[in-house]
Amino acid sequence: MEDKYKEIPHKTIERLSQYRRALQIYSEKGKNHIFSHEIAALLHITAVQVRRDLMLIGYSGSLRKGYDISDLIMLIGNIIDSPNGQKVAVFGMGDLGTALINYFRGRRDKLQITAGFDISPEKGGHKIAGIYCYSVERAAEIIGKEDIRIGILTVPPDQADDTVRIMVDSGIKGILNYTPAPVEVPDDVYLEEYNMISSIEKVAYYVKEQK
Amino acid sequence: MEDKYKEIPHKTIERLSQYRRALQIYSEKGKNHIFSHEIAALLHITAVQVRRDLMLIGYSGSLRKGYDISDLIMLIGNIIDSPNGQKVAVFGMGDLGTALINYFRGRRDKLQITAGFDISPEKGGHKIAGIYCYSVERAAEIIGKEDIRIGILTVPPDQADDTVRIMVDSGIKGILNYTPAPVEVPDDVYLEEYNMISSIEKVAYYVKEQK
DNA sequence: TTTGCACTGTTAAATGAATAACAAAATGGA
DNA sequence: TCCATTTTGTTATTCATTTAACAGTGCAAA
Ligand SMILES: NC(=O)c1ccc[n+]([C@@H]2O[C@H](COP(=O)([O-])OP(=O)(O)OC[C@H]3O[C@@H](n4cnc5c(N)ncnc54)[C@H](O)[C@@H]3O)[C@@H](O)[C@H]2O)c1
Ligand SMILES: NC(=O)c1ccc[n+]([C@@H]2O[C@H](COP(=O)([O-])OP(=O)(O)OC[C@H]3O[C@@H](n4cnc5c(N)ncnc54)[C@H](O)[C@@H]3O)[C@@H](O)[C@H]2O)c1
């Protein structure tokens, strides 16, 4: 059963998350069912791709009505969520960290930002955007106590290396790095990096080429 | 010449942008040359991948010293930048929009955020984070006048559709959508979407699977 | 009832991307 | 001088992902 899910391609995992998001928005319009080509249109991919992905997770739609939206949302949840939820910590409670916390709030129930860490004394000890902000010195303590495994890195670039070390030593097993600095992690820590400059440079490149 | 570049794979374009960023950080340490395996280590990929990418853009390194960093930065610039630069507008000057502008400032010279648009009256008419903020009604006028082709979308999700329409009608040819709402664009507009929830769900999934 | 239609689910083929393999070149030391 | 070492540039191969093809199915309309 678990082994079956191991075979799900990385790209499919990414899309499943996107399907769910799109389905949630769609279901708020009062719809109960959706066809593969409708999902495809929302995400700008092909209907075949959608059906193939859903095949991989073993979900069958109704032939005439398409897919049951709430069933599908639930099934995607079974695959990508942890049954008991996972906790997330933010390192660096500046502009971006705060924006992310606000954005995140209320969107996912199995994934919760439960702690923030910052080096600045005036941020420590009280809540920012509803999240308690601790001094980084207490990282190991809090992360251990709360069993946090996932960390978001939004410190200044020159602090990235040191902060990652603290995160890893504290028990973090997955890091989402928003810093432009390349960082190092041990093999057993999953690292995902995002850089806005690369995204916009890609847009710029294809705009340029298109002319 | 231009046709040659057409063949560069999407993934390579993405990596070129990342190479440049890493190289810039690296060169600040006083280094002039770098080996493929050093670049690879920074980005957590293989040295072969790096060499293959550089082969595609026709850059040759020195056999014993590796690649000349400033030459390589320049060559990557020749490929992904526009010679005369490109201007970028931000739609939605809220928390995220402001954070992005601050982050962007001074990082790229061929790519400049030159205008912001917002619906809120108290934001219009003055500068936010150093960028002049206009009312959205003036989008077509300003974008036409300044010849802006690239737009970043950071309005609230329920405003995404309408705002994209305004952007497209104003002449925007490439959109980076930070909104969780799926949006529609004509064929001749390049659309790149980013959603932080998907990124973190991916991290969460692989953290879960790893245990 | 039967035919046509619009879907799904699945296998097969094609495309795209990453990796492996290796020849060629430069350097330093034996 | 020549050999061992190191690294590049490139072709060949493998692997991953997407797309195509198509059979099967339920429904609606004739
Ligand atoms: N990926 C993107 O698209 C993107 C966009 C904007 C910013 N960024 C990056 O995100 C990071 C944060 O950006 P920001 O605009 O929020 O900056 P910011 O200066 O507003 O916030 C940084 C925060 O980190 C705290 N901090 C500093 N050193 C620390 C340490 N050692 N440990 C813990 N906390 C520490 C500071 O007190 C501050 O609160 C920067 O690295 C920036 O380059 C990335
Ligand atoms: N992709 C991500 O990782 C990520 C992270 C955080 C937020 N977000 C999304 O980015 C968007 C902005 O987030 P935020 O935290 O900055 O929100 P925010 O409320 O701080 O900012 C929104 C801004 O848009 C302006 N606005 C509203 N309607 C507008 C319209 N029709 N035209 C122009 N401007 C308009 C508002 O006046 C406000 O200034 C939201 O959609 C949010 O969900 C995405």
Side-chain angles (χ1 to χ4, degrees):
Chain A
M1 184 123 176
E2 295 218 333
D3 294 318
K4 198 177 68 183
Y5 295 150
K6 282 273 193 316
E7 300 155 21
I8 299 177
H10 281 49
K11 288 289 178 68
T12 296
I13 294 294
E14 262 181 59
R15 281 191 298 266
L16 287 174
S17 165
Q18 289 160 11
Y19 294 162
R20 176 161 69 169
R21 163 176 61 105
L23 289 170
Q24 279 163 341
I25 293 173
Y26 205 79
S27 75
E28 283 163 17
K29 296 180 186 163
K31 297 280 209 136
N32 294 335
H33 291 83
I34 191 168
F35 293 120
S36 60
H37 66 260
E38 293 177 298
I39 300 179
L42 290 171
L43 300 231
H44 310 106
I45 56 177
T46 68
V48 185
Q49 179 87 83
V50 174
R51 292 206 299 276
R52 216 177 182 298
D53 285 338
L54 298 188
M55 188 193 88
L56 289 174
I57 66 173
Y59 181 65
S60 283
S62 133
L63 200 41
R64 205 63 188 182
K65 294 192 284 184
Y67 303 96
D68 181 296
I69 294 181
S70 57
D71 281 2
L72 186 47
I73 288 176
M74 214 153 57
L75 181 57
I76 293 176
N78 288 345
I79 291 178
I80 64 181
D81 293 336
S82 274
N84 304 317
Q86 282 165 293
K87 294 179 177 175
V88 181
V90 173
F91 283 75
M93 299 284 275
D95 285 343
L96 185 60
T98 308
L100 293 179
I101 290 169
N102 281 323
Y103 173 57
F104 207 85
R105 188 193 327 291
R107 284 187 193 270
R108 288 268 85 86
D109 48 348
K110 295 291 182 191
L111 215 46
Q112 288 194 320
I113 299 180
T114 59
F117 296 95
D118 204 289
I119 206 173
S120 160
E122 73 262 22
K123 298 201 179 180
H126 57 89
K127 286 193 169 190
I128 296 176
I131 302 297
Y132 200 87
C133 180
Y134 302 92
S135 153
V136 276
E137 278 98 42
R138 298 184 63 193
E141 173 205 341
I142 305 293
I143 284 169
K145 194 173 68 186
E146 294 212 28
D147 191 31
I148 298 171
R149 296 258 167 73
I150 299 165
I152 299 177
L153 184 65
T154 50
V155 300
D158 61 322
Q159 300 291 312
D161 269 334
D162 289 346
T163 307
V164 164
R165 213 165 297 125
I166 293 171
M167 292 166 87
V168 170
D169 289 347
S170 303
I172 293 288
K173 293 294 177 195
I175 295 177
L176 178 50
N177 176 23
Y178 280 103
T179 281
V183 302
E184 278 311 312
V185 294
D187 281 349
D188 67 334
V189 174
Y190 183 89
L191 176 67
E192 171 97 10
E193 311 209 275
Y194 178 72
N195 190 274
M196 177 238 178
I197 303 267
S198 290
S199 289
I200 199 147
E201 281 185 348
K202 204 171 145 194
V203 174
Y205 175 81
Y206 288 109
V207 166
K208 177 185 77 158
E209 288 302 297
Q210 180 178 69
K211 293 195 274 199
Chain B
M1 183 121 174
E2 295 219 335
D3 295 317
K4 197 178 69 183
Y5 294 152
K6 281 273 191 318
E7 300 156 20
I8 299 176
H10 280 50
K11 287 291 177 71
T12 296
I13 294 293
E14 262 181 60
R15 281 192 298 266
L16 287 175
S17 165
Q18 289 160 13
Y19 295 160
R20 178 163 64 169
R21 164 177 60 106
L23 289 171
Q24 278 162 340
I25 293 173
Y26 205 79
S27 76
E28 283 164 16
K29 296 179 186 164
K31 299 280 209 134
N32 293 337
H33 290 83
I34 191 168
F35 293 121
S36 60
H37 66 260
E38 293 176 299
I39 300 179
L42 291 172
L43 300 229
H44 309 107
I45 57 177
T46 68
V48 185
Q49 179 87 83
V50 173
R51 291 206 300 277
R52 216 178 183 297
D53 285 338
L54 298 188
M55 186 194 89
L56 289 174
I57 66 172
Y59 181 66
S60 284
S62 134
L63 201 41
R64 205 62 189 183
K65 294 191 285 183
Y67 303 96
D68 182 296
I69 293 182
S70 57
D71 281 2
L72 187 46
I73 288 176
M74 215 152 57
L75 181 57
I76 292 176
N78 288 346
I79 292 180
I80 64 181
D81 291 336
S82 272
N84 303 318
Q86 284 165 292
K87 294 179 179 176
V88 180
V90 173
F91 283 75
M93 300 282 278
D95 286 343
L96 184 61
T98 308
L100 294 179
I101 290 170
N102 280 323
Y103 173 58
F104 206 85
R105 187 194 327 290
R107 285 188 192 270
R108 287 271 84 84
D109 49 348
K110 294 291 182 190
L111 214 46
Q112 288 195 321
I113 299 180
T114 58
F117 295 95
D118 204 290
I119 205 174
S120 158
E122 73 260 23
K123 299 200 178 178
H126 58 91
K127 285 194 169 188
I128 295 178
I131 303 297
Y132 200 86
C133 180
Y134 302 93
S135 154
V136 276
E137 278 98 44
R138 299 185 61 193
E141 172 205 341
I142 304 294
I143 285 170
K145 193 174 69 188
E146 295 213 26
D147 191 31
I148 299 170
R149 295 259 167 74
I150 298 164
I152 299 177
L153 184 64
T154 50
V155 299
D158 61 321
Q159 301 290 313
D161 268 333
D162 289 346
T163 307
V164 164
R165 212 163 301 126
I166 292 170
M167 292 166 86
V168 170
D169 289 348
S170 303
I172 293 289
K173 293 293 177 197
I175 294 177
L176 177 50
N177 176 23
Y178 280 104
T179 283
V183 301
E184 279 312 312
V185 294
D187 281 350
D188 67 333
V189 175
Y190 183 87
L191 176 68
E192 170 99 8
E193 312 210 272
Y194 177 73
N195 190 273
M196 177 238 179
I197 303 269
S198 289
S199 290
I200 198 147
E201 281 185 347
K202 202 169 147 197
V203 175
Y205 176 81
Y206 288 108
V207 166
K208 177 184 79 157
E209 290 301 297
Q210 180 180 71
K211 293 195 275 198

PDB file of all heavy atoms in Angstrom, chain A residues 70-101:
ATOM      1  N   SER A  70     -15.461  16.325  -3.955  1.00  0.00           N
ATOM      2  CA  SER A  70     -15.066  16.172  -2.547  1.00  0.00           C
ATOM      3  C   SER A  70     -14.358  14.843  -2.307  1.00  0.00           C
ATOM      4  O   SER A  70     -13.422  14.768  -1.506  1.00  0.00           O
ATOM      5  CB  SER A  70     -16.273  16.354  -1.612  1.00  0.00           C
ATOM      6  OG  SER A  70     -17.282  15.447  -1.940  1.00  0.00           O
ATOM      7  N   ASP A  71     -14.782  13.799  -3.022  1.00  0.00           N
ATOM      8  CA  ASP A  71     -14.050  12.529  -2.930  1.00  0.00           C
ATOM      9  C   ASP A  71     -12.594  12.708  -3.356  1.00  0.00           C
ATOM     10  O   ASP A  71     -11.666  12.213  -2.713  1.00  0.00           O
ATOM     11  CB  ASP A  71     -14.685  11.473  -3.847  1.00  0.00           C
ATOM     12  CG  ASP A  71     -15.940  10.869  -3.229  1.00  0.00           C
ATOM     13  OD1 ASP A  71     -16.329  11.299  -2.123  1.00  0.00           O
ATOM     14  OD2 ASP A  71     -16.529   9.967  -3.858  1.00  0.00           O
ATOM     15  N   LEU A  72     -12.449  13.416  -4.456  1.00  0.00           N
ATOM     16  CA  LEU A  72     -11.115  13.567  -5.019  1.00  0.00           C
ATOM     17  C   LEU A  72     -10.225  14.403  -4.093  1.00  0.00           C
ATOM     18  O   LEU A  72      -9.062  14.054  -3.848  1.00  0.00           O
ATOM     19  CB  LEU A  72     -11.217  14.214  -6.402  1.00  0.00           C
ATOM     20  CG  LEU A  72      -9.939  14.320  -7.219  1.00  0.00           C
ATOM     21  CD1 LEU A  72      -9.166  13.025  -7.232  1.00  0.00           C
ATOM     22  CD2 LEU A  72     -10.262  14.744  -8.646  1.00  0.00           C
ATOM     23  N   ILE A  73     -10.797  15.464  -3.553  1.00  0.00           N
ATOM     24  CA  ILE A  73     -10.038  16.273  -2.606  1.00  0.00           C
ATOM     25  C   ILE A  73      -9.580  15.406  -1.433  1.00  0.00           C
ATOM     26  O   ILE A  73      -8.430  15.474  -0.995  1.00  0.00           O
ATOM     27  CB  ILE A  73     -10.890  17.461  -2.101  1.00  0.00           C
ATOM     28  CG1 ILE A  73     -11.056  18.501  -3.213  1.00  0.00           C
ATOM     29  CG2 ILE A  73     -10.250  18.107  -0.863  1.00  0.00           C
ATOM     30  CD1 ILE A  73     -11.959  19.677  -2.849  1.00  0.00           C
ATOM     31  N   MET A  74     -10.490  14.535  -0.982  1.00  0.00           N
ATOM     32  CA  MET A  74     -10.170  13.694   0.165  1.00  0.00           C
ATOM     33  C   MET A  74      -9.076  12.684  -0.181  1.00  0.00           C
ATOM     34  O   MET A  74      -8.152  12.468   0.596  1.00  0.00           O
ATOM     35  CB  MET A  74     -11.425  12.973   0.642  1.00  0.00           C
ATOM     36  CG  MET A  74     -11.476  12.775   2.126  1.00  0.00           C
ATOM     37  SD  MET A  74     -13.206  12.686   2.681  1.00  0.00           S
ATOM     38  CE  MET A  74     -13.822  11.318   1.700  1.00  0.00           C
ATOM     39  N   LEU A  75      -9.202  12.104  -1.373  1.00  0.00           N
ATOM     40  CA  LEU A  75      -8.216  11.102  -1.761  1.00  0.00           C
ATOM     41  C   LEU A  75      -6.834  11.727  -1.937  1.00  0.00           C
ATOM     42  O   LEU A  75      -5.822  11.153  -1.505  1.00  0.00           O
ATOM     43  CB  LEU A  75      -8.655  10.407  -3.055  1.00  0.00           C
ATOM     44  CG  LEU A  75      -7.692   9.328  -3.528  1.00  0.00           C
ATOM     45  CD1 LEU A  75      -7.487   8.266  -2.458  1.00  0.00           C
ATOM     46  CD2 LEU A  75      -8.172   8.682  -4.810  1.00  0.00           C
ATOM     47  N   ILE A  76      -6.779  12.881  -2.538  1.00  0.00           N
ATOM     48  CA  ILE A  76      -5.485  13.567  -2.671  1.00  0.00           C
ATOM     49  C   ILE A  76      -4.910  13.829  -1.282  1.00  0.00           C
ATOM     50  O   ILE A  76      -3.719  13.639  -1.045  1.00  0.00           O
ATOM     51  CB  ILE A  76      -5.642  14.885  -3.480  1.00  0.00           C
ATOM     52  CG1 ILE A  76      -6.001  14.562  -4.932  1.00  0.00           C
ATOM     53  CG2 ILE A  76      -4.349  15.697  -3.429  1.00  0.00           C
ATOM     54  CD1 ILE A  76      -6.279  15.783  -5.799  1.00  0.00           C
ATOM     55  N   GLY A  77      -5.784  14.228  -0.369  1.00  0.00           N
ATOM     56  CA  GLY A  77      -5.353  14.435   1.020  1.00  0.00           C
ATOM     57  C   GLY A  77      -4.755  13.168   1.621  1.00  0.00           C
ATOM     58  O   GLY A  77      -3.720  13.223   2.295  1.00  0.00           O
ATOM     59  N   ASN A  78      -5.377  12.030   1.347  1.00  0.00           N
ATOM     60  CA  ASN A  78      -4.855  10.766   1.883  1.00  0.00           C
ATOM     61  C   ASN A  78      -3.447  10.493   1.411  1.00  0.00           C
ATOM     62  O   ASN A  78      -2.669   9.835   2.089  1.00  0.00           O
ATOM     63  CB  ASN A  78      -5.740   9.598   1.453  1.00  0.00           C
ATOM     64  CG  ASN A  78      -7.065   9.602   2.178  1.00  0.00           C
ATOM     65  OD1 ASN A  78      -7.217  10.301   3.184  1.00  0.00           O
ATOM     66  ND2 ASN A  78      -8.021   8.864   1.667  1.00  0.00           N
ATOM     67  N   ILE A  79      -3.146  10.982   0.232  1.00  0.00           N
ATOM     68  CA  ILE A  79      -1.833  10.682  -0.338  1.00  0.00           C
ATOM     69  C   ILE A  79      -0.787  11.697   0.098  1.00  0.00           C
ATOM     70  O   ILE A  79       0.283  11.322   0.544  1.00  0.00           O
ATOM     71  CB  ILE A  79      -1.925  10.630  -1.868  1.00  0.00           C
ATOM     72  CG1 ILE A  79      -2.744   9.393  -2.228  1.00  0.00           C
ATOM     73  CG2 ILE A  79      -0.546  10.577  -2.496  1.00  0.00           C
ATOM     74  CD1 ILE A  79      -2.965   9.208  -3.669  1.00  0.00           C
ATOM     75  N   ILE A  80      -1.108  12.968  -0.015  1.00  0.00           N
ATOM     76  CA  ILE A  80      -0.042  13.923   0.272  1.00  0.00           C
ATOM     77  C   ILE A  80      -0.020  14.419   1.710  1.00  0.00           C
ATOM     78  O   ILE A  80       1.018  14.851   2.187  1.00  0.00           O
ATOM     79  CB  ILE A  80      -0.003  15.101  -0.742  1.00  0.00           C
ATOM     80  CG1 ILE A  80      -1.256  15.943  -0.690  1.00  0.00           C
ATOM     81  CG2 ILE A  80       0.241  14.611  -2.134  1.00  0.00           C
ATOM     82  CD1 ILE A  80      -1.225  17.073  -1.706  1.00  0.00           C
ATOM     83  N   ASP A  81      -1.125  14.343   2.425  1.00  0.00           N
ATOM     84  CA  ASP A  81      -1.102  14.785   3.820  1.00  0.00           C
ATOM     85  C   ASP A  81      -0.620  13.681   4.758  1.00  0.00           C
ATOM     86  O   ASP A  81      -0.698  12.501   4.430  1.00  0.00           O
ATOM     87  CB  ASP A  81      -2.506  15.207   4.278  1.00  0.00           C
ATOM     88  CG  ASP A  81      -2.989  16.460   3.567  1.00  0.00           C
ATOM     89  OD1 ASP A  81      -2.140  17.236   3.097  1.00  0.00           O
ATOM     90  OD2 ASP A  81      -4.217  16.645   3.476  1.00  0.00           O
ATOM     91  N   SER A  82      -0.146  14.101   5.920  1.00  0.00           N
ATOM     92  CA  SER A  82       0.088  13.152   7.004  1.00  0.00           C
ATOM     93  C   SER A  82      -1.198  13.034   7.808  1.00  0.00           C
ATOM     94  O   SER A  82      -1.853  14.046   8.071  1.00  0.00           O
ATOM     95  CB  SER A  82       1.174  13.664   7.941  1.00  0.00           C
ATOM     96  OG  SER A  82       2.439  13.303   7.493  1.00  0.00           O
ATOM     97  N   PRO A  83      -1.543  11.842   8.231  1.00  0.00           N
ATOM     98  CA  PRO A  83      -2.836  11.659   8.923  1.00  0.00           C
ATOM     99  C   PRO A  83      -2.977  12.566  10.144  1.00  0.00           C
ATOM    100  O   PRO A  83      -4.051  13.122  10.375  1.00  0.00           O
ATOM    101  CB  PRO A  83      -2.826  10.194   9.336  1.00  0.00           C
ATOM    102  CG  PRO A  83      -1.688   9.555   8.653  1.00  0.00           C
ATOM    103  CD  PRO A  83      -0.808  10.591   8.070  1.00  0.00           C
ATOM    104  N   ASN A  84      -1.912  12.710  10.904  1.00  0.00           N
ATOM    105  CA  ASN A  84      -2.008  13.520  12.114  1.00  0.00           C
ATOM    106  C   ASN A  84      -1.510  14.948  11.949  1.00  0.00           C
ATOM    107  O   ASN A  84      -1.333  15.672  12.919  1.00  0.00           O
ATOM    108  CB  ASN A  84      -1.233  12.858  13.247  1.00  0.00           C
ATOM    109  CG  ASN A  84      -1.713  11.445  13.501  1.00  0.00           C
ATOM    110  OD1 ASN A  84      -2.914  11.191  13.512  1.00  0.00           O
ATOM    111  ND2 ASN A  84      -0.777  10.522  13.663  1.00  0.00           N
ATOM    112  N   GLY A  85      -1.266  15.325  10.721  1.00  0.00           N
ATOM    113  CA  GLY A  85      -0.807  16.678  10.479  1.00  0.00           C
ATOM    114  C   GLY A  85       0.686  16.827  10.682  1.00  0.00           C
ATOM    115  O   GLY A  85       1.347  15.965  11.275  1.00  0.00           O
ATOM    116  N   GLN A  86       1.217  17.904  10.180  1.00  0.00           N
ATOM    117  CA  GLN A  86       2.636  18.200  10.339  1.00  0.00           C
ATOM    118  C   GLN A  86       2.781  19.664  10.719  1.00  0.00           C
ATOM    119  O   GLN A  86       2.019  20.512  10.253  1.00  0.00           O
ATOM    120  CB  GLN A  86       3.381  17.932   9.015  1.00  0.00           C
ATOM    121  CG  GLN A  86       3.651  16.454   8.744  1.00  0.00           C
ATOM    122  CD  GLN A  86       4.045  16.225   7.291  1.00  0.00           C
ATOM    123  OE1 GLN A  86       3.248  16.403   6.384  1.00  0.00           O
ATOM    124  NE2 GLN A  86       5.287  15.823   7.079  1.00  0.00           N
ATOM    125  N   LYS A  87       3.759  19.935  11.541  1.00  0.00           N
ATOM    126  CA  LYS A  87       3.953  21.306  11.992  1.00  0.00           C
ATOM    127  C   LYS A  87       5.117  21.956  11.255  1.00  0.00           C
ATOM    128  O   LYS A  87       6.081  21.286  10.875  1.00  0.00           O
ATOM    129  CB  LYS A  87       4.225  21.321  13.499  1.00  0.00           C
ATOM    130  CG  LYS A  87       3.036  20.869  14.326  1.00  0.00           C
ATOM    131  CD  LYS A  87       3.391  20.880  15.797  1.00  0.00           C
ATOM    132  CE  LYS A  87       2.192  20.488  16.651  1.00  0.00           C
ATOM    133  NZ  LYS A  87       2.590  20.391  18.081  1.00  0.00           N
ATOM    134  N   VAL A  88       5.023  23.245  11.081  1.00  0.00           N
ATOM    135  CA  VAL A  88       6.002  23.994  10.309  1.00  0.00           C
ATOM    136  C   VAL A  88       6.504  25.175  11.141  1.00  0.00           C
ATOM    137  O   VAL A  88       5.720  25.800  11.852  1.00  0.00           O
ATOM    138  CB  VAL A  88       5.358  24.530   9.006  1.00  0.00           C
ATOM    139  CG1 VAL A  88       6.372  25.302   8.183  1.00  0.00           C
ATOM    140  CG2 VAL A  88       4.745  23.404   8.198  1.00  0.00           C
ATOM    141  N   ALA A  89       7.798  25.437  11.030  1.00  0.00           N
ATOM    142  CA  ALA A  89       8.374  26.613  11.693  1.00  0.00           C
ATOM    143  C   ALA A  89       8.944  27.565  10.650  1.00  0.00           C
ATOM    144  O   ALA A  89       9.465  27.123   9.618  1.00  0.00           O
ATOM    145  CB  ALA A  89       9.473  26.192  12.664  1.00  0.00           C
ATOM    146  N   VAL A  90       8.849  28.848  10.924  1.00  0.00           N
ATOM    147  CA  VAL A  90       9.423  29.860  10.040  1.00  0.00           C
ATOM    148  C   VAL A  90      10.647  30.462  10.704  1.00  0.00           C
ATOM    149  O   VAL A  90      10.580  30.887  11.862  1.00  0.00           O
ATOM    150  CB  VAL A  90       8.390  30.967   9.741  1.00  0.00           C
ATOM    151  CG1 VAL A  90       9.043  32.109   8.972  1.00  0.00           C
ATOM    152  CG2 VAL A  90       7.219  30.404   8.972  1.00  0.00           C
ATOM    153  N   PHE A  91      11.754  30.487   9.982  1.00  0.00           N
ATOM    154  CA  PHE A  91      12.975  31.113  10.495  1.00  0.00           C
ATOM    155  C   PHE A  91      13.197  32.432   9.774  1.00  0.00           C
ATOM    156  O   PHE A  91      13.483  32.445   8.572  1.00  0.00           O
ATOM    157  CB  PHE A  91      14.174  30.189  10.293  1.00  0.00           C
ATOM    158  CG  PHE A  91      14.224  29.070  11.284  1.00  0.00           C
ATOM    159  CD1 PHE A  91      13.363  27.988  11.171  1.00  0.00           C
ATOM    160  CD2 PHE A  91      15.110  29.105  12.346  1.00  0.00           C
ATOM    161  CE1 PHE A  91      13.399  26.960  12.095  1.00  0.00           C
ATOM    162  CE2 PHE A  91      15.154  28.078  13.277  1.00  0.00           C
ATOM    163  CZ  PHE A  91      14.289  27.002  13.157  1.00  0.00           C
ATOM    164  N   GLY A  92      13.083  33.514  10.512  1.00  0.00           N
ATOM    165  CA  GLY A  92      13.209  34.845   9.919  1.00  0.00           C
ATOM    166  C   GLY A  92      11.847  35.481   9.763  1.00  0.00           C
ATOM    167  O   GLY A  92      11.194  35.316   8.739  1.00  0.00           O
ATOM    168  N   MET A  93      11.411  36.208  10.800  1.00  0.00           N
ATOM    169  CA  MET A  93      10.047  36.743  10.790  1.00  0.00           C
ATOM    170  C   MET A  93      10.042  38.167  10.249  1.00  0.00           C
ATOM    171  O   MET A  93       9.518  39.092  10.883  1.00  0.00           O
ATOM    172  CB  MET A  93       9.488  36.719  12.208  1.00  0.00           C
ATOM    173  CG  MET A  93       9.400  35.321  12.805  1.00  0.00           C
ATOM    174  SD  MET A  93       8.030  34.379  12.158  1.00  0.00           S
ATOM    175  CE  MET A  93       6.731  34.973  13.250  1.00  0.00           C
ATOM    176  N   GLY A  94      10.583  38.344   9.060  1.00  0.00           N
ATOM    177  CA  GLY A  94      10.593  39.656   8.425  1.00  0.00           C
ATOM    178  C   GLY A  94       9.396  39.827   7.507  1.00  0.00           C
ATOM    179  O   GLY A  94       8.340  39.228   7.719  1.00  0.00           O
ATOM    180  N   ASP A  95       9.565  40.654   6.471  1.00  0.00           N
ATOM    181  CA  ASP A  95       8.469  40.912   5.538  1.00  0.00           C
ATOM    182  C   ASP A  95       7.949  39.636   4.892  1.00  0.00           C
ATOM    183  O   ASP A  95       6.752  39.368   4.888  1.00  0.00           O
ATOM    184  CB  ASP A  95       8.956  41.847   4.412  1.00  0.00           C
ATOM    185  CG  ASP A  95       9.100  43.277   4.900  1.00  0.00           C
ATOM    186  OD1 ASP A  95       8.528  43.597   5.961  1.00  0.00           O
ATOM    187  OD2 ASP A  95       9.766  44.064   4.215  1.00  0.00           O
ATOM    188  N   LEU A  96       8.878  38.881   4.328  1.00  0.00           N
ATOM    189  CA  LEU A  96       8.456  37.698   3.595  1.00  0.00           C
ATOM    190  C   LEU A  96       7.880  36.651   4.545  1.00  0.00           C
ATOM    191  O   LEU A  96       6.804  36.093   4.283  1.00  0.00           O
ATOM    192  CB  LEU A  96       9.634  37.110   2.808  1.00  0.00           C
ATOM    193  CG  LEU A  96       9.286  35.932   1.912  1.00  0.00           C
ATOM    194  CD1 LEU A  96       8.261  36.317   0.858  1.00  0.00           C
ATOM    195  CD2 LEU A  96      10.539  35.388   1.231  1.00  0.00           C
ATOM    196  N   GLY A  97       8.565  36.404   5.643  1.00  0.00           N
ATOM    197  CA  GLY A  97       8.059  35.440   6.623  1.00  0.00           C
ATOM    198  C   GLY A  97       6.650  35.782   7.069  1.00  0.00           C
ATOM    199  O   GLY A  97       5.766  34.912   7.099  1.00  0.00           O
ATOM    200  N   THR A  98       6.429  37.042   7.354  1.00  0.00           N
ATOM    201  CA  THR A  98       5.100  37.472   7.797  1.00  0.00           C
ATOM    202  C   THR A  98       4.061  37.302   6.687  1.00  0.00           C
ATOM    203  O   THR A  98       2.947  36.819   6.931  1.00  0.00           O
ATOM    204  CB  THR A  98       5.156  38.947   8.247  1.00  0.00           C
ATOM    205  OG1 THR A  98       6.211  39.097   9.196  1.00  0.00           O
ATOM    206  CG2 THR A  98       3.847  39.367   8.878  1.00  0.00           C
ATOM    207  N   ALA A  99       4.435  37.673   5.467  1.00  0.00           N
ATOM    208  CA  ALA A  99       3.510  37.527   4.340  1.00  0.00           C
ATOM    209  C   ALA A  99       3.129  36.055   4.154  1.00  0.00           C
ATOM    210  O   ALA A  99       1.961  35.721   3.921  1.00  0.00           O
ATOM    211  CB  ALA A  99       4.130  38.083   3.056  1.00  0.00           C
ATOM    212  N   LEU A 100       4.102  35.164   4.295  1.00  0.00           N
ATOM    213  CA  LEU A 100       3.829  33.743   4.106  1.00  0.00           C
ATOM    214  C   LEU A 100       2.905  33.211   5.194  1.00  0.00           C
ATOM    215  O   LEU A 100       1.993  32.425   4.923  1.00  0.00           O
ATOM    216  CB  LEU A 100       5.137  32.954   4.098  1.00  0.00           C
ATOM    217  CG  LEU A 100       6.070  33.220   2.905  1.00  0.00           C
ATOM    218  CD1 LEU A 100       7.340  32.394   3.020  1.00  0.00           C
ATOM    219  CD2 LEU A 100       5.379  32.936   1.589  1.00  0.00           C
ATOM    220  N   ILE A 101       3.147  33.641   6.425  1.00  0.00           N
ATOM    221  CA  ILE A 101       2.287  33.191   7.520  1.00  0.00           C
ATOM    222  C   ILE A 101       0.851  33.652   7.293  1.00  0.00           C
ATOM    223  O   ILE A 101      -0.088  32.867   7.422  1.00  0.00           O
ATOM    224  CB  ILE A 101       2.812  33.719   8.870  1.00  0.00           C
ATOM    225  CG1 ILE A 101       4.120  33.005   9.212  1.00  0.00           C
ATOM    226  CG2 ILE A 101       1.788  33.498   9.981  1.00  0.00           C
ATOM    227  CD1 ILE A 101       4.864  33.625  10.382  1.00  0.00           C
TER     228      ILE A 101
END
